[in-house]
């Protein structure tokens, strides 16, 4: 033992205090286990709470309010224009993060979970050393919830200006959400959910935004008809939305950048930007945990291989969330955290969920769950598709939020619901009902006979079910004269 070294012995060690990790720690304590929770950050909550989901949605909500106020002029709301106080907005974001993180700490303290701040590395199959805390933890079971890290741009892509003066740094998503400034122009590299959400937010703040995506389309995981609703909005509010394009060279010039972009027509063009956001995705945070020391297997993406009980190839070590196989989402991590703990406690549990909802908090929002139309076509699965436009929904008309639609995919013979996609206001909330329907094996009739309150956005799900089954009473019949 090294002088000053702390040693803990515990039932369950949890590495990482994000949505999966802190949920696992609290759930394990509730089930009577001694728990040590190791987190490298000063605050609990992980990337999601401290520099991802929560600060981004706080910013997006504020920008959305400004958009709604401007739109409300046609409703008779009189104002002289909207502007932002950057310092107050940043203070609001920081306060929101601080409040929620403190809440997590209080919940953990309430369960007598031992929290150790530092970076955990495995020394053997039952021991980790926590760097930064000079602590050793001996455990019976471990849950790896180490999350993910930001993908960085290739180093040779950025060329300094050679002046010797301090040059601006290319933003990560965390930098952008810290609101260091509202730049005159912003280049967003990457058309996934991070690039779209933050790009729209800064456009709403007043920046001239250009988004470059190397793929043929943005948000590749979503059905084309869903994402097209967002694309149309981006095309109205962005300086440019360039798909099938790539950034070839970034040159620092004074307090900005000169960027060479290869377009979809294979032409090289140059533009100047005040700031650049690299939104090129994330990768599992698994490379510096000492996993090779204990022979724990990773796949080609760096994610930890697990079974449906979240168990790794070492049976008393579990992995959840972004560090494990599967879609990297906070709500998936939380569910897996509970599953892993229940398995450790000898309960019959498994991550056997039929559907995991995905949401883009864009304007308008899009969300989907279960089978997508793309997947149905690729796998040759026959489906009936019912699509109900929000232009036909009374509540959407009252709120002037008629962009988008709800669509439902169902089995042609039984009407069992296989998938749901939503583009439009409140999609992030409505998708929960759709996910529940899929988990329960509900049919179109189940949704149709469930009374939805009127007038609400939730009626759109019922209407889409009717359209998939036999036709909605609020839709014109095809082939009939007006």
């Amino acid at each position: 033992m090294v002088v000053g070294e702390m040693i803990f012995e515990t039932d369950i060690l949890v590495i990482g205090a994000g949505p999966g990790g802190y949920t696992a720690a609290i759930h394990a304590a509730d089930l009577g286990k001694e728990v040590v929770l190791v987190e490298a950050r000063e605050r609990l909550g992980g990337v999601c709470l401290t520099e991802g989901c929560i600060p981004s949605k706080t910013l997006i909500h504020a920008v959305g309010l400004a958009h709604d106020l401007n739109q409300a002029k046609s409703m008779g709301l009189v104002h002289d224009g909207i502007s932002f106080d950057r310092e107050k907005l940043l203070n609001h974001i920081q306060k929101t993060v601080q409040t929620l993180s403190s809440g997590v700490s209080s919940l953990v303290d309430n369960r007598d979970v031992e929290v150790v701040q530092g970076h955990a590395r495995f020394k053997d199959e039952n021991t980790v050393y926590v760097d930064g805390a000079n602590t050793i933890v001996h455990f019976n079971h471990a849950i790896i919830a180490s999350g993910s890290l930001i993908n960085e741009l290739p180093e040779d892509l950025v060329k300094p200006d050679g002046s010797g003066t301090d040059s601006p740094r290319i933003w990560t998503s965390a930098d952008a959400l810290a609101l260091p400034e509202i730049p005159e122009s912003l280049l967003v590299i990457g058309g996934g959910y991070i690039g779209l959400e933050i790009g729209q937010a800064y456009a709403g703040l007043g920046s001239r935004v250009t988004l470059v995506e190397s793929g043929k389309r943005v948000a590749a995981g979503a059905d084309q008809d869903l994402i097209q609703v967002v694309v149309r909005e981006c095309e109205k509010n962005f300086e440019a939305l360039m798909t099938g394009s790539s950034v070839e060279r970034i040159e620092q010039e004074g307090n900005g950048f000169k960027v060479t972009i290869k377009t979809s027509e294979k032409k090289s063009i140059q533009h100047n930007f005040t700031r650049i956001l690299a939104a090129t995705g994330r990768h599992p945070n698994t490379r510096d945990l000492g996993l090779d020391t204990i022979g724990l297997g990773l796949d080609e993406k760096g994610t930890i291989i697990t079974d449906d009980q979240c168990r790794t190839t070492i049976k008393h070590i579990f992995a959840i969330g972004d560090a494990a196989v599967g879609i990297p989402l906070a709500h998936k991590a939380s569910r897996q955290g509970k599953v892993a703990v229940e398995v450790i406690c000898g309960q019959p549990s498994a991550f056997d969920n039929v559907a995991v909802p995905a949401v883009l908090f864009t304007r308008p929002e899009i969300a989907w769950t279960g089978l997508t139309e793309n997947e149905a076509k690729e796998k040759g699965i026959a489906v009936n598709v019912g699509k109900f436009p929000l232009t036909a929904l009374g509540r959407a008309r009252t709120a002037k939020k008629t962009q988008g639609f709800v669509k439902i995919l169902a089995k042609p013979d039984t009407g069992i619901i296989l998938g749901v996609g939503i583009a439009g206001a409140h999609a992030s909330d409505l998708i929960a009902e759709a996910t529940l329907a899929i988990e329960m094996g509900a049919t179109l009739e189940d949704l149709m006979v469930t009374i939805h309150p009127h007038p609400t956005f939730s009626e759109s799900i019922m209407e889409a079910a009717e359209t998939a089954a036999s036709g909605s009473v609020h839709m014109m019949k095809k082939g009939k004269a007006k």
Side-chain angles (χ1 to χ4, degrees):
M1 176 178 175
V2 178
V3 175
E5 192 173 65
M6 290 285 291
I7 297 179
F8 291 103
E9 294 188 2
T10 188
D11 292 329
I12 299 177
L13 164 70
V14 180
I15 301 174
Y22 78 71
T23 298
I26 293 171
H27 193 42
D30 285 345
L31 293 179
K33 295 294 185 180
E34 289 186 352
V35 183
V36 171
L37 175 62
V38 177
E39 168 57 45
R41 299 167 181 268
E42 291 183 10
R43 290 178 175 174
L44 302 187
V47 168
C48 178
L49 196 159
T50 61
E51 61 180 52
C53 316
I54 297 303
S56 66
K57 276 54 186 180
T58 310
L59 173 61
I60 288 166
H61 179 69
V63 172
L65 289 176
H67 177 268
D68 289 347
L69 283 172
N70 284 323
Q71 190 179 44
K73 282 186 174 182
S74 63
M75 299 180 184
L77 184 66
V78 179
H79 60 81
D80 295 327
I82 305 297
S83 61
F84 287 92
D85 183 319
R86 186 185 65 83
E87 291 292 337
K88 285 186 177 179
L89 178 54
L90 177 58
N91 182 64
H92 172 60
I93 294 171
Q94 292 173 336
K95 186 176 180 180
T96 302
V97 170
Q98 175 62 43
T99 300
L100 291 174
S101 181
S102 296
V104 173
S105 296
S106 296
L107 292 171
V108 168
D109 290 343
N110 177 253
R111 268 59 169 211
D112 295 322
V113 171
E114 187 71 45
V115 177
V116 179
Q117 184 185 345
H119 184 94
R121 291 185 183 87
F122 285 92
K123 308 304 290 183
D124 59 48
E125 292 185 3
N126 291 91
T127 309
V128 298
Y129 176 76
V130 184
D131 192 17
N134 197 22
T135 297
I136 290 177
V137 183
H138 300 290
F139 58 86
N140 296 324
H141 296 87
I143 299 174
I144 302 171
S146 51
S148 60
L149 299 171
I150 292 171
N151 292 338
E152 297 182 356
L153 294 177
E155 290 184 4
D156 60 356
L157 191 64
V158 184
K159 309 300 180 185
D161 64 3
S163 66
T165 60
D166 290 337
S167 298
R169 189 165 67 88
I170 292 175
W171 285 354
T172 64
S173 56
D175 296 325
L177 294 173
L179 277 184
E181 62 180 304
I182 300 175
E184 181 181 341
S185 60
L186 176 67
L187 170 64
V188 178
I189 304 174
Y193 71 95
I194 296 173
L196 288 169
E197 290 181 3
I198 298 181
Q200 279 194 328
Y202 268 86
L205 291 173
S207 298
R208 292 184 289 105
V209 175
T210 296
L211 187 147
V212 174
E213 163 58 38
S214 60
K216 292 182 179 179
R217 61 188 184 93
V218 296
D223 280 339
Q224 179 66 21
D225 56 352
L226 291 175
I227 196 60
Q228 194 59 36
V229 180
V230 176
V231 167
R232 285 194 292 268
E233 184 71 16
C234 289
E235 288 174 342
K236 288 190 293 184
N237 296 292
F238 285 2
E239 191 85 356
L241 177 62
M242 306 171 66
T243 55
S245 305
S246 59
V247 173
E248 291 186 314
R249 183 182 177 90
I250 299 172
E251 299 175 70
Q252 295 177 335
E253 283 195 347
N255 195 36
F257 301 90
K258 182 170 71 175
V259 181
T260 304
I261 301 170
K262 179 176 280 188
T263 69
S264 56
E265 291 82 22
K266 306 304 179 185
K267 296 179 180 178
S268 290
I269 59 175
Q270 288 188 334
H271 286 288
N272 288 87
F273 298 96
T274 311
R275 295 291 176 263
I276 297 174
L277 165 63
T280 50
R282 305 182 65 87
H283 62 276
N285 181 19
T286 56
R287 298 297 185 187
D288 192 24
L289 300 176
L291 300 184
D292 52 340
T293 301
I294 59 175
L296 198 58
L298 303 175
D299 65 12
E300 67 280 358
K301 296 180 181 178
T303 50
I304 300 171
I305 300 167
T306 58
D307 61 15
D308 63 356
Q309 293 185 318
C310 304
R311 196 190 302 268
T312 71
T313 52
I314 301 173
K315 69 177 186 177
H316 66 279
I317 298 178
F318 296 72
I320 64 173
D322 293 10
V325 293
I327 187 168
L329 294 169
H331 40 280
K332 169 243 192 184
S334 298
R335 170 66 184 142
Q336 287 183 322
K338 291 182 177 180
V339 168
V341 167
E342 288 160 5
V343 171
I344 290 170
C345 293
Q347 297 182 7
S349 188
F351 184 68
D352 54 2
N353 291 67
V354 179
V356 178
V359 179
L360 269 65
F361 291 85
T362 46
R363 187 175 63 249
E365 295 179 347
I366 65 171
W368 64 95
T369 187
L371 187 72
T372 66
E373 274 199 271
N374 287 342
E375 291 170 337
K377 291 174 183 176
E378 291 171 1
K379 298 176 181 179
I381 299 173
V383 292
N384 281 349
V385 180
K387 185 182 289 188
F388 185 80
L390 295 186
T391 52
L393 188 70
R395 184 69 183 96
R397 285 287 181 186
T398 67
K400 291 203 71 173
K401 294 184 181 295
T402 57
Q403 290 176 296
F405 58 88
V406 175
K407 69 173 178 180
I408 293 182
L409 283 65
K411 285 187 176 181
D413 52 346
T414 63
I416 291 175
I417 298 163
L418 299 177
V420 177
I422 305 173
H426 307 293
S428 58
D429 299 314
L430 297 174
I431 203 66
E433 178 184 353
T435 304
L436 176 63
I438 294 171
E439 285 291 338
M440 294 182 65
T443 64
L444 294 172
E445 184 180 5
D446 291 325
L447 284 182
M448 291 160 57
V449 301
T450 298
I451 298 175
H452 291 68
H454 176 78
T456 63
F457 280 91
S458 68
E459 290 176 288
S460 60
I461 293 180
M462 174 189 69
E463 298 278 9
E466 288 186 357
T467 303
S470 56
S472 166
V473 298
H474 292 110
M475 292 283 289
M476 301 290 285
K477 279 190 171 293
K478 292 181 179 180
K480 296 281 288 185
K482 293 184 179 179

